[in-house]
């Protein structure tokens, strides 16, 4: 029994010695060791063993492998909503984390908004003293979207510059990370009220095609797309229920004409819808209610029951204004007066022309008449009192040698005699 106890104790002692030996080996320094086989010298330098060969004198160096480089990434960011309106301010908050296995220090964070964003206040550069492996931080930057920025996702660049220590050596690194912030331009696509057929110009008739027009303008800085016009309701027919207009650029204008045909006379109630997509791709609708009075087509017997589209239904009921008649009477009176004046003037000119011709004929007769006519003239003057007096004067003038005057007196008619005497 005692022999067995001694044997067991020896075994236990041996096992304990082995365990102690293993622990001693494991507790040795991790630095590599090199032994010169000839000189038996042990040399070490900063945990790196150098083996020197006595014969060749060559050296061998064993450098430890460098550790992993730390990586800084942005794990999350927010910008106060689904999108940022152009010209508005917002807070950009982003969370960054050290995904490496060593700590970083002396970190400088820079935010660059490019052409679409500006810093609303303060600086765009921030300093972080240290960020351990696996740790994260959140930074908030007040920013503003530029009013002239284009609609859609616009980039923001966040730069990280930092230092870290690896195997006793200090190094530096830099990483640039881009995030996107969507910008939305205000919707300023405007459509005017529909222009309905005017009753004064014909109006809408049952069975006759008519058109409703709308004017539109895109005052926004972003384009709108897929513009469509649809007329909803009953009591009319249309070849195209939906009219496609297309895309409308910023600042563009135009008109939408929707053609339809009323089925029957009476009140027609419908709704005209304009649908489109704004610069953010959001679908929007503008509605315009329509109340239209439809009339029956007028029938005229002259054209076999056919209707003249240009016929004014109120033409037969119209009366001529009183001032129209007054103007017509005044114009007629003026025309009659002008005609009378022209006729009288022509008559006066004709009478004057006849007198001149008679005088010319009398003068020609005076030149061709001889002296013996004086006696005849005297005899004729005795017959007519007026002519006789003129003839006596002519005879006396003839005695004084005025034979031509006496001859002229004989050829003067009774009415023209006084005029001839005055000329003599």
């Amino acid at each position: 029994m005692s022999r067995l106890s001694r044997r067991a104790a020896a075994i236990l002692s041996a096992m304990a010695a082995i365990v102690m030996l293993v622990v001693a080996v494991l507790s040795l320094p991790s630095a590599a060791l090199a032994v010169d086989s000839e000189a038996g010298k042990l040399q070490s330098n900063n945990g790196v063993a150098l083996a020197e060969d006595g014969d060749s004198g060559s050296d061998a160096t064993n450098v430890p492998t460098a550790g992993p480089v730390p990586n800084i990434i942005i794990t999350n960011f927010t910008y106060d909503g689904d999108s940022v309106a152009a010209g508005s301010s917002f807070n950009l908050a982003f969370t960054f984390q050290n995904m490496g296995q060593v700590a970083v220090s002396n970190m400088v964070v820079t935010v660059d908004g490019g052409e679409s964003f500006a810093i609303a206040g303060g600086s765009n550069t921030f300093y972080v003293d240290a960020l351990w492996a696996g740790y994260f931080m959140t930074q908030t930057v007040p920013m503003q979207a530029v009013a002239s920025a284009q609609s859609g996702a616009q980039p923001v660049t966040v730069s990280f510059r930092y230092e870290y220590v690896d195997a006793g050596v200090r190094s530096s690194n830099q990483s640039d990370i881009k995030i996107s912030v969507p910008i939305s331009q205000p919707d300023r696509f405007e459509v005017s009220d529909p222009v309905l057929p005017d009753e004064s110009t014909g109006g809408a008739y049952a069975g006759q095609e008519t058109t409703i027009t709308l004017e539109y303008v895109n005052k926004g800085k972003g384009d709108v797309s897929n513009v469509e016009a649809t007329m909803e309701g009953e009591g009319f027919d249309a070849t195209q229920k939906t009219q496609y207009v297309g895309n409308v650029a910023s600042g563009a204008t135009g008109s939408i004409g929707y053609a339809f045909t009323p089925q029957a006379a009476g009140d027609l109630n419908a709704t005209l819808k304009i649908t489109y997509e704004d610069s953010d791709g959001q679908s929007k609708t503008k509605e315009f209610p329509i109340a239209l009075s439809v009339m029956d087509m007028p029938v005229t017997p002259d054209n076999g029951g056919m209707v003249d589209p240009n016929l004014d239904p109120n033409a037969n009921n119209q009366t001529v204004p009183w001032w129209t008649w007054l103007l017509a009477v005044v114009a007629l009176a003026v025309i009659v007066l002008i005609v009378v004046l022209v006729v009288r003037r022509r008559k006066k000119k004709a009478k004057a022309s006849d007198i001149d011709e008679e005088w010319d004929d009398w003068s020609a007769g005076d030149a061709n008449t001889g002296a013996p006519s004086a006696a005849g003239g005297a005899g004729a003057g005795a017959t007519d009192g007026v002519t006789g007096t003129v003839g006596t004067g002519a005879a006396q003038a003839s005695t004084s040698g005025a034979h031509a005057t006496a001859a002229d007196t004989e050829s003067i008619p009774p009415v023209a005699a006084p005029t001839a005497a005055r000329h003599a």
Side-chain angles (χ1 to χ4, degrees):
M1 191 69 160
S2 59
R3 186 178 297 176
L4 293 175
S5 300
R6 286 194 296 270
R7 184 176 296 179
I11 293 172
L12 293 175
S13 299
M15 293 177 64
I18 293 172
V19 170
M20 293 178 64
L21 180 62
V22 171
V23 171
V25 172
L26 294 176
S27 63
L28 290 176
S30 59
L33 301 177
V35 178
D36 190 337
S37 58
E38 293 182 358
K41 296 181 179 179
L42 178 64
Q43 297 179 352
S44 64
N45 184 13
N46 292 333
V48 179
L50 301 179
E52 182 178 355
D53 189 351
D55 297 335
S56 60
S58 61
D59 297 336
T61 303
N62 186 10
V63 180
T65 304
V69 177
N71 292 318
I72 306 298
I73 65 172
I74 294 179
T75 58
N76 186 29
F77 64 95
T78 59
Y79 40 83
D80 297 343
D82 296 334
S83 62
V84 178
S88 63
S89 300
F90 65 100
N91 292 320
L92 176 63
F94 56 92
T95 301
F96 54 95
Q97 185 177 2
N98 182 2
M99 304 299 291
Q101 298 180 2
V102 295
V104 298
S105 59
N106 297 328
M107 178 183 289
V108 178
V109 183
T110 304
V111 179
D112 184 9
E115 298 180 354
S116 301
F117 302 96
I119 304 299
S123 174
N124 67 332
T125 303
F126 309 94
Y127 177 77
V128 179
D129 183 36
L131 186 64
W132 301 100
Y135 281 68
F136 62 86
M137 287 187 64
T138 299
Q139 183 66 47
T140 301
V141 183
M143 303 189 72
Q144 181 180 11
V146 179
S148 60
Q150 292 185 354
S151 177
Q154 303 299 329
V156 176
T157 304
V158 183
S159 300
F160 299 93
R161 297 196 306 271
Y162 51 88
E163 298 177 354
Y164 63 97
V165 177
D166 181 26
V169 179
R170 179 173 292 274
S171 303
S172 62
N173 194 17
Q174 178 177 350
S175 61
D176 298 331
I177 301 176
K178 288 187 177 182
I179 58 178
S180 297
V181 178
I183 295 179
S184 61
Q185 285 287 345
D187 180 18
R188 300 187 63 190
F189 181 66
E190 299 180 0
V191 182
S192 62
D193 294 333
V195 179
L196 304 179
D198 191 1
E199 295 183 1
S200 62
T201 59
Y205 294 96
Q208 180 179 350
E209 187 179 74
T210 185
T211 304
I212 294 177
T213 59
L214 303 92
E215 302 291 334
Y216 64 83
V217 58
N218 184 10
K219 295 182 178 180
K221 295 183 179 180
D223 298 345
V224 297
S225 56
N226 298 327
V227 181
E228 294 180 350
T230 304
M231 189 171 178
E232 298 180 352
E234 297 180 355
F236 65 91
D237 297 326
T239 55
Q240 292 182 347
K241 289 290 185 180
T242 300
Q243 180 179 350
Y244 183 74
V245 179
N247 301 335
V248 180
S250 174
T253 61
S255 61
I256 301 174
Y258 192 86
F260 64 99
T261 302
Q263 296 175 352
D267 294 334
L268 176 62
N269 296 318
T271 301
L272 191 62
K273 291 185 177 181
I274 308 298
T275 60
Y276 63 96
E277 295 178 3
D278 61 8
S279 57
D280 296 331
Q282 302 294 327
S283 180
K284 295 187 176 181
T285 302
K286 296 181 181 292
E287 296 185 358
F288 301 91
I290 297 172
L292 188 62
S293 179
V294 181
M295 299 177 291
D296 287 324
M297 292 289 288
V299 178
T300 57
D302 296 338
N303 53 5
M306 299 300 292
V307 178
D308 186 2
N310 299 323
L311 179 63
D312 188 358
N314 298 322
N316 296 330
N317 297 328
Q318 294 180 355
T319 58
V320 180
W322 62 270
W323 52 267
T324 304
W325 294 105
L326 180 59
L327 291 177
V329 172
V330 172
L332 182 60
V334 171
I335 294 173
V336 172
L337 180 59
I338 293 174
V339 172
V340 171
L341 293 177
V342 171
V343 171
R344 292 183 61 183
R345 186 172 182 181
R346 289 183 177 179
K347 287 183 178 181
K348 287 183 178 180
K349 288 184 176 181
K351 188 175 180 180
S353 177
D354 293 341
I355 294 174
D356 292 338
E357 290 178 357
E358 292 176 358
W359 174 255
D360 294 337
D361 295 340
W362 178 78
S363 299
D366 184 26
N368 297 323
T369 304
S373 300
T383 306
D384 190 355
V386 177
T387 307
T389 305
V390 176
T392 306
Q396 293 175 356
S398 177
T399 307
S400 304
H403 298 284
T405 304
D408 294 339
T409 304
E410 181 181 1
S411 61
I412 293 175
V415 178
T419 304
R422 285 195 298 272
H423 281 281

